[in-house]
Amino acid sequence: MAQRTWFITGINSGFGRHMTEQLLERGDRVAGTVRNINSVDDLKAEYGDLLWTAQLDVTDIPAIYKVIDQAFSGLGKIDVVVSNAGYGLFGAAEELTIEQITHQLNTNLSGSIHLIRASLPHLRALGGGRIIQLSTVGGQAAFPGGSLYHATKWGIEGFTEAVMKEVAPFNIGVTIVEPGGARTNFRHHGSKIGPKLDAYEISPASGARRILEDSKAVSLGDPAKMVKIMIDSVDQHPAPKRIVLGSDSYQAIHQALSGRLQDLEAQKEQAFSTDYPEDNPSVTYKL
C-alpha cells in the first residue's frame, strides 16, 4: 500500500487520536493539529518525522488558512483532509449562555467550513484528494438537550453535501461520517453543559444532562473499529457520501429519516397544489 499523507485536526484525543495512531502504525504520514502542542509528545517521540504537528484553535479563522498553507507547503502533498476537531454542547437552548452558543458555532461549524475552504485550492492544484468531515448521529437525528450541537452538525452536513457536488469535477471526494456513541473521552472531556435552569427538570432536555453526569454510562461503539472504517473508506471509489457507524446511530437515523419521509408523503398533494397551472412557465430545480 502506497504511503499517504493525512491532515487531521484535533489529534490529541478521541477519534483524532485513534486515527493518528492507526495511520502512523501502518507507516502513513500525519499532519496533525492540537491546541496544546505538547499533548502529543509521546507520538512525536515514537514516530518522529512521520508526524508533523501545529498548534491550532479552529475558532481562529486566519490561523486555519495559515496552518493549512504551511502543511501543504511543508509536506509537498496531502492526500486526505480530516475535519475532526469539535466538541458537544448540551442543555436546553434556554439554558445555554451567549458565550457558549458563540463558541460552539465557531468551533464545530465555522471552523469546519473554513478548514474545508482552506484545503480546496491545494487539493485542486494537486489534481484531487479526499475530505472526511466528522459529524455524528446528531447530524441527522435530533434529541432534546442538544439543540446547539445539532445546529452545528446539521449545518456542517448541509455545507459538506453541497461542497461534495461542487468539487466532484476536480476529483475531490468528500465523505460525512456519522458515528453513534463511542468509548472515547467525548462524554466527560469532549462535552460541555449549560447552566442548569430548574424549570427544565420537567423537560426531556434534562435527560441529556443526566447522561453526561452519569459516570457509569458506557457507550456501545468501539472507536478503533470506527476509525478503521473511516481510513478504509479512502480506498473506495467513488467516495461514500456518508458512513454511519454504530447500531445506535443506524437505528436513530433510520427512525428519523423514516418519520421525515412519512411526514413529507402526507403533504404531497398540498405541496403540488401551490404550483402555477401547467400552462404557465415553471422552473424545475434538480438537487
Side-chain angles (χ1 to χ4, degrees), residues 18-282:
H18 279 278
M19 180 175 284
T20 299
E21 289 175 345
Q22 288 191 27
L23 292 170
L24 293 174
E25 186 175 350
R26 76 178 198 173
D28 281 2
R29 293 193 303 174
V30 174
T33 73
V34 289
R35 284 183 296 171
N36 177 0
I37 198 64
N38 298 318
S39 61
V40 289
D41 283 349
D42 59 324
L43 294 179
K44 285 289 292 182
E46 183 172 359
Y47 293 102
D49 291 341
L50 285 179
L51 179 61
W52 180 98
T53 58
Q55 187 173 20
L56 177 65
D57 183 333
V58 294
T59 64
D60 185 342
I61 294 173
I64 292 174
Y65 288 85
K66 180 180 179 180
V67 169
I68 283 286
D69 288 347
Q70 290 174 340
F72 274 89
S73 174
L75 297 172
K77 180 182 181 182
I78 291 175
D79 303 286
V80 187
V81 174
V82 183
S83 176
N84 167 71
Y87 70 97
L89 175 61
F90 298 99
E94 190 182 350
E95 292 180 306
L96 307 176
T97 68
I98 292 174
E99 291 77 15
Q100 285 180 319
I101 291 170
T102 300
H103 194 266
Q104 176 82 147
L105 292 170
N106 288 345
T107 302
N108 291 10
L109 183 56
S110 178
S112 296
I113 287 172
H114 286 287
L115 179 74
I116 291 173
R117 289 190 72 251
S119 303
L120 291 178
H122 296 284
L123 293 175
R124 284 194 294 103
L126 291 169
R130 287 291 179 92
I131 295 171
I132 297 176
Q133 174 63 55
L134 266 291
S135 182
T136 167
V137 54
Q140 289 288 314
F143 307 96
S147 55
L148 259 295
Y149 185 55
H150 291 308
T152 63
K153 293 303 185 179
W154 286 55
I156 197 58
E157 288 208 19
F159 171 82
T160 306
E161 188 165 337
V163 167
M164 68 176 64
K165 298 173 183 178
E166 295 172 358
V167 302
F170 309 122
N171 194 34
I172 301 173
V174 184
T175 298
I176 300 168
V177 182
E178 295 166 336
R183 297 182 190 181
T184 65
N185 57 0
F186 177 82
R187 185 190 301 272
H188 301 296
H189 300 288
S191 302
K192 297 181 181 179
I193 308 176
K196 184 177 180 180
L197 288 178
D198 290 340
Y200 278 87
E201 279 296 319
I202 63 171
S203 167
S206 62
R209 183 183 301 275
R210 286 192 291 272
I211 290 172
L212 291 174
E213 293 175 345
D214 182 359
S215 60
K216 297 181 180 179
V218 178
S219 298
L220 290 172
D222 183 334
K225 292 179 180 178
M226 291 178 167
V227 162
K228 184 178 186 306
I229 291 174
M230 297 180 209
I231 293 172
D232 290 347
S233 73
V234 176
D235 292 318
Q236 297 179 36
H237 298 279
K241 293 181 179 180
R242 281 181 166 81
I243 298 174
V244 177
L245 299 172
S247 60
D248 53 347
S249 181
Y250 177 88
Q251 291 169 357
I253 293 175
H254 190 282
Q255 182 179 4
L257 294 180
S258 297
R260 284 156 61 188
L261 182 59
Q262 184 177 4
D263 291 343
L264 176 64
E265 292 292 350
Q267 298 183 53
K268 181 177 180 179
E269 184 176 346
Q270 175 179 275
F272 277 64
S273 73
T274 62
D275 290 352
Y276 277 107
E278 291 183 2
D279 57 344
N280 283 350
S282 61

